[in-house]
């Protein structure tokens, strides 16, 4: 059964970039997509984008189009989400989540990574 | 983007109560509607997919219904572990979530 394990909490200065990892254990990079979402403190869930780990192709929400990059390393079954030009509004818990090909729901989710942007 | 509106935003109930949460989409989304439960400090957990299919391992007291624009999540008899925040999510087009319904103990 696949598990998604994310990297640890980060504290960044405004204007910096952050790179969060999501490692899939118990499964190869076949037949699913990885999505990234975030949740600001006491707020709802926001979708950021999707990457196909086997092919490497990705698509981003328009809001993040100019400053997010999603990549993968097939040798370690790890996907990455890098967000640049951080502001305090980017303070949030960032999640990765799996969607199987031909499915339309998120399961499982990573445990979340808190990114704090503060001077 | 499709707007998802949940009601109520918060709800107080007692163990054993029957609870219904509603989710309305701003346009028709067929049955591309999923429900998640989130507890404080934890990632969301899938409960219902495709509007009415129960995810494996989820207790049968949870059920979902609806299609088109109007959907409901029902918990038939609340258990102590059910007090959490619930989100609906549409996957018909660019993914969006409802604002959440916080369910707490009366």
């Amino acid at each position: 059964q696949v598990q998604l394990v994310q990297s640890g909490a980060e504290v960044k200065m405004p204007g910096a970039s952050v790179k969060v990892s999501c490692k899939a254990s118990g499964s190869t990079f076949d037949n699913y997509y990885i999505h990234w979402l975030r949740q600001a403190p006491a707020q709802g869930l926001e979708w950021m984008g999707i990457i196909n780990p086997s092919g490497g192709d990705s698509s981003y929400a328009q809001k993040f189009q100019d400053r997010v990059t999603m990549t993968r390393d097939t040798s370690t079954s790890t996907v990455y989400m890098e967000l640049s030009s951080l502001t305090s509004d980017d303070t949030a818990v960032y999640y990765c989540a799996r969607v199987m090909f031909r499915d339309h729901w998120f399961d499982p989710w990573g445990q979340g990574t808190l990114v704090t942007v503060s001077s | 983007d499709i707007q998802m509106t949940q009601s109520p935003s918060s709800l107080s109930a007692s163990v054993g109560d029957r609870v219904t949460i509603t989710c309305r989409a701003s346009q028709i989304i067929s049955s591309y509607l999923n429900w998640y439960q989130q507890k404080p400090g934890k990632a969301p957990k899938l409960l219902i997919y495709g509007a009415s299919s129960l995810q494996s391992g989820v207790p049968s007291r949870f059920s979902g219904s609806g299609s088109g624009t109007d959907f409901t999540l029902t918990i038939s008899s609340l258990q102590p572990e059910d007090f959490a925040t619930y989100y609906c999510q549409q996957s018909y087009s660019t993914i969006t979530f409802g604002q959440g319904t916080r369910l707490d103990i009366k």
Side-chain angles (χ1 to χ4, degrees):
Chain A
Q1 186 149 353
V2 69
Q3 269 193 303
L4 301 177
V5 180
Q6 298 183 223
S7 50
E10 302 260 14
V11 179
K12 296 292 182 182
M13 298 282 285
S17 297
V18 67
K19 192 170 187 178
V20 180
S21 68
C22 171
K23 181 176 175 62
S25 63
S27 171
T28 59
F29 264 174
D30 294 326
N31 303 319
Y32 62 83
Y33 303 103
I34 292 291
H35 293 245
W36 287 92
L37 308 98
R38 74 179 188 180
Q39 186 171 36
Q43 299 296 310
L45 292 153
E46 182 174 34
W47 181 77
M48 299 181 69
I50 176 176
I51 182 168
N52 178 349
S54 58
D57 46 306
S58 57
S59 178
Y60 308 133
Q62 192 164 5
K63 175 178 179 177
F64 303 102
Q65 188 77 35
D66 294 337
R67 57 188 191 103
V68 72
T69 304
M70 296 176 188
T71 56
R72 95 294 193 207
D73 181 343
T74 55
S75 68
T76 60
S77 299
T78 302
V79 297
Y80 300 91
M81 186 283 298
E82 184 170 22
L83 188 64
S84 63
S85 303
L86 293 169
T87 72
S88 58
D89 289 342
D90 294 314
T91 294
V93 176
Y94 289 76
Y95 293 102
C96 60
R98 184 188 72 167
V99 174
M100 299 297 293
F101 286 176
R102 288 182 278 190
D103 286 349
H104 300 275
W105 48 89
F106 299 115
D107 182 67
W109 296 59
Q111 83 277 18
T113 297
L114 175 62
V115 175
T116 302
V117 183
S118 175
S119 56
Chain B
D1 291 357
I2 297 174
Q3 305 302 313
M4 306 300 293
T5 304
Q6 288 182 233
S7 60
S9 295
S10 64
L11 174 60
S12 294
S14 301
V15 173
D17 283 354
R18 180 183 181 89
V19 165
T20 297
I21 298 169
T22 296
C23 180
R24 174 165 287 176
S26 62
Q27 65 185 73
I28 291 171
I29 59 169
S30 186
S31 295
Y32 291 93
L33 190 284
N34 309 307
W35 290 98
Y36 301 87
Q37 176 193 66
Q38 187 177 34
K39 296 183 178 179
K42 299 294 187 182
K45 172 189 170 184
L46 177 68
L47 299 176
I48 302 286
Y49 62 91
S52 60
S53 295
L54 189 68
Q55 172 68 348
S56 176
V58 174
S60 59
R61 62 181 179 273
F62 291 92
S63 64
S65 64
S67 68
T69 60
D70 294 321
F71 303 86
T72 59
L73 172 70
T74 299
I75 310 172
S76 60
S77 178
L78 273 173
Q79 298 302 300
E81 60 268 30
D82 300 337
F83 291 96
T85 299
Y86 293 85
Y87 292 95
C88 62
Q89 171 245 325
Q90 64 81 19
S91 52
Y92 183 81
S93 66
T94 303
I95 291 162
T96 52
F97 290 81
Q99 80 279 14
T101 295
R102 179 175 173 172
L103 175 57
D104 56 27
I105 301 173
K106 185 184 287 184

